[in-house]
Amino acid sequence: MSRMKFPEGFIWGAATSSQQIEGATGEGGRGESIWDRFSAVSGKIEDGSNSDIACDHFHRWRDDIELMKWLGLGAYRFSIAWPRIIPTGTGLVNAAGLDFYDSLVDGLLEAGIEPFPTLYHWDLPQVLQDKGGWAARDTAEAFVEYSAAVARRLGDRVKRWVTHNEPWCIATLGHEEGHHAPGHLDPPEALRVAHHLLLSHGWATEAIRREVANAEVGIVHNYCPAYSATDSEGDRDAARWFDGFFNRWYLDPVFKGAYPADAVADRVAAGHLDSPDMPFVKDGDMAAISTPLEFLGINYYSRNVMEAGPDGKPRDAKTVPKEELTDMGWEVYPEGLYDSLMRVHNEYGPKKIYIAENGAAYDYPIDAEGRIADTKRVSYLHDHFLNARRAMADGAPLAGFFVWSLMDNFEWGFGFTKRFGLYCVDFETQQRIPKDSAFWYREVTAANAVDDAFAPTTQGESRAFDG
Ligand code: FCB
């Protein structure tokens, strides 16, 4: 067995988001978010839960920083809740909201952990949804105002900024398929939403740069590589279709200043657009969207294998037996991370890439000794780390890796039924318990290296949790 070293300065991190961990939705002057509203609708969240308390991080953030310290994190990716900062969407800034993140940033810096905030991880103020949400161009303007207020306050200490997390999820899951807030089923609206998200990203990038000296700004995209089930023309076209719909729709505007023509044609054919010239794209928009970035964040979880269905329409080929899937029903396919990094590097050439999220949902019991032996999660992370390392050796400019997630949390429409954490959270007592993956990750961050072969029996040598 040999050690695969990572370059000096490589950032090992963990990620969370405001709506999923903070709780305290009615405290500190916070306004209502679209996820508060959506969760209150019966049937929208699998276990009928909501994130009113979640991990109670709003009150426990000091202890949570200790958990990060114990892991040896170099950076912590969290998100800022817009409804805490500007509860009314636009206008008056809520000082208590800014104070919360200000203290968090100071606490992280004292612990030697770089704060790596995301401005929008899906918790839009409900008041803005009432005025049309992301389908309205005004929301893009409101986002710039909000971003500038946060950057002005934290920019003396925070240098790396993410504008949006996963625009595809917001547009498609939120506005086309209805699984996420605001729960719409309106494909034409989803395309307007996607455009306004991208536009607001470009505008906010400029606003952050005005407020923060030496800022590095990026956007986080959930990249899902598409493979064709067979070499048939139909299956290959199904993979092309998925790639256009999921990946290129977001990456092409940001890096090439244009929507991908074939994917636009697919949307016209589907009746989601009247014509290829999209009326919601105004003069200057594409230039704003493609403002050069310091980095790109990639969230990678799985791949899609596509085929042409009997009706010729593209569909998921469902090639993987159920028992090899994570609790999300996602295939474990670490090689896809290598392929994704190489593709993004070769086709889009970002200056720097971060894996902004990667991890797996598995539910493991606590044994009699209080141990959570989440072997599959360790194996999942191990294999993804190695594939990241391999892509780096082949030239991908990867600068850091954030595990999703620091702790179990509110997994959107799945409520608390899916556990992604390095730390288990007992949602009754709010106790945090390190899983084997936390012990293992701690060894990785300390060594800045991963063994090339995975040997679950040797993991967790230092089992004492003194965090
Ligand atoms: C990503 C989200 C994150 C979490 C993981 C499992 O799509 O960014 O909030 O839900 O998936």
Side-chain angles (χ1 to χ4, degrees):
M1 194 153 72
S2 67
R3 292 286 237 187
M4 298 296 292
K5 262 288 194 197
F6 281 71
E8 210 176 309
F10 188 79
I11 294 177
W12 295 104
T16 64
S17 85
S18 43
Q19 186 84 37
Q20 292 176 278
I21 67 162
E22 284 179 4
T25 47
E27 288 179 54
R30 180 185 177 281
E32 188 188 15
S33 82
I34 54 172
W35 273 92
D36 301 343
R37 180 72 64 96
F38 185 70
S39 309
V41 179
S42 157
K44 297 293 185 198
I45 310 296
E46 192 175 305
D47 55 2
S49 66
N50 59 48
S51 41
D52 286 358
I53 301 174
C55 305
D56 194 32
H57 171 77
F58 186 75
H59 298 115
R60 294 168 193 266
W61 61 271
R62 286 186 189 80
D63 297 340
D64 290 339
I65 290 177
E66 293 303 315
L67 303 181
M68 299 174 209
K69 233 162 109 177
W70 186 84
L71 286 174
L73 299 190
Y76 170 51
R77 176 170 176 247
F78 60 101
S79 80
I80 292 173
W82 187 346
R84 285 200 190 283
I85 307 298
I86 308 187
T88 45
T90 56
L92 219 57
V93 173
N94 171 38
L98 280 177
D99 289 347
F100 171 67
Y101 296 106
D102 197 88
S103 306
L104 178 66
V105 161
D106 281 346
L108 288 166
L109 291 171
E110 270 164 40
I113 299 167
E114 180 186 344
F116 203 110
T118 298
L119 285 158
Y120 189 73
H121 200 130
W122 309 353
D123 38 8
L124 187 73
Q126 178 63 39
V127 284
L128 291 182
Q129 188 61 51
D130 296 341
K131 295 181 190 154
W134 286 107
R137 201 172 161 97
D138 289 352
T139 299
E141 283 172 23
F143 180 69
V144 178
E145 183 187 328
Y146 150 68
S147 301
V150 177
R152 200 170 302 139
R153 176 72 178 267
L154 305 181
D156 56 336
R157 287 150 292 156
V158 172
K159 293 297 166 200
R160 280 184 260 237
W161 295 83
V162 172
T163 54
H164 285 296
N165 180 69
E166 302 189 347
W168 179 87
C169 286
I170 302 162
T172 296
L173 298 182
H175 298 82
E176 189 160 2
E177 297 179 356
H179 302 303
H180 281 188
H184 296 178
L185 295 157
D186 185 344
E189 184 191 44
L191 297 176
R192 280 203 308 283
V193 165
H195 184 68
H196 295 148
L197 286 166
L198 290 170
L199 183 61
S200 73
H201 151 77
W203 285 345
T205 299
E206 297 303 330
I208 295 164
R209 289 194 178 128
R210 278 196 295 276
E211 300 293 341
V212 183
N214 309 316
E216 294 189 14
V217 188
I219 186 168
V220 168
H221 177 61
N222 44 329
Y223 190 93
C224 183
Y227 301 81
S228 56
T230 72
D231 219 21
S232 76
E233 206 182 308
D235 289 358
R236 278 192 287 124
D237 194 58
R240 177 208 59 77
W241 174 85
F242 182 83
D243 183 49
F245 160 73
F246 199 101
N247 298 314
R248 289 182 287 118
W249 197 273
Y250 299 90
L251 290 173
D252 280 23
V254 169
F255 288 95
K256 300 180 177 176
Y259 285 99
D262 64 310
V264 172
D266 291 339
R267 288 293 197 162
V268 173
H272 302 165
L273 287 171
D274 292 338
S275 78
D277 37 60
M278 302 179 249
F280 47 81
V281 180
K282 309 283 184 211
D283 277 356
D285 284 7
M286 299 316 289
I289 292 171
S290 55
T291 179
L293 298 176
E294 281 74 24
F295 66 87
L296 171 69
I298 292 288
N299 294 349
Y300 176 84
Y301 288 95
S302 188
R303 68 163 172 176
N304 257 32
V305 179
M306 298 295 297
E307 66 182 4
D311 55 358
K313 289 208 177 116
R315 67 173 191 190
D316 184 342
K318 301 217 182 306
T319 48
V320 189
K322 258 204 154 79
E323 50 284 2
E324 287 169 30
L325 306 174
T326 69
D327 288 356
M328 294 296 280
W330 296 344
E331 179 188 357
V332 179
Y333 191 67
E335 297 79 9
L337 176 58
Y338 172 85
D339 292 349
S340 302
L341 284 167
M342 294 315 294
R343 199 276 182 103
V344 163
H345 168 55
N346 290 327
E347 191 164 330
Y348 297 103
K351 293 183 195 127
K352 230 173 8 182
I353 306 174
Y354 293 97
I355 300 300
E357 289 178 27
N358 172 251
Y362 292 115
D363 196 2
Y364 280 88
I366 309 179
D367 73 13
E369 284 84 53
R371 177 176 179 187
I372 300 168
D374 58 338
T375 320
K376 285 187 185 172
R377 180 173 293 100
V378 177
S379 157
Y380 180 99
L381 291 174
H382 171 271
D383 293 352
H384 286 80
F385 291 175
L386 278 191
N387 275 283
R389 181 70 188 72
R390 197 154 66 86
M392 291 168 81
D394 289 345
L398 187 68
F401 199 117
F402 293 81
V403 172
W404 185 272
S405 177
L406 176 67
M407 56 189 157
D408 296 339
N409 56 48
F410 176 76
E411 180 49 36
W412 309 111
F414 297 96
F416 296 102
T417 65
K418 304 288 182 250
R419 292 182 178 269
F420 275 93
L422 293 164
Y423 289 92
C424 166
V425 176
D426 176 334
F427 292 103
E428 296 292 313
T429 62
Q430 289 298 340
Q431 195 194 352
R432 277 76 158 135
I433 306 154
K435 303 177 189 178
D436 272 8
S437 53
F439 287 94
W440 177 80
Y441 192 39
R442 183 184 200 225
E443 290 171 12
V444 172
T445 65
N448 193 28
V450 180
D451 289 335
D452 65 350
F454 172 58
T457 46
T458 65
Q459 84 191 44
E461 282 143 21
S462 52
R463 286 208 50 84
F465 174 60
D466 42 24

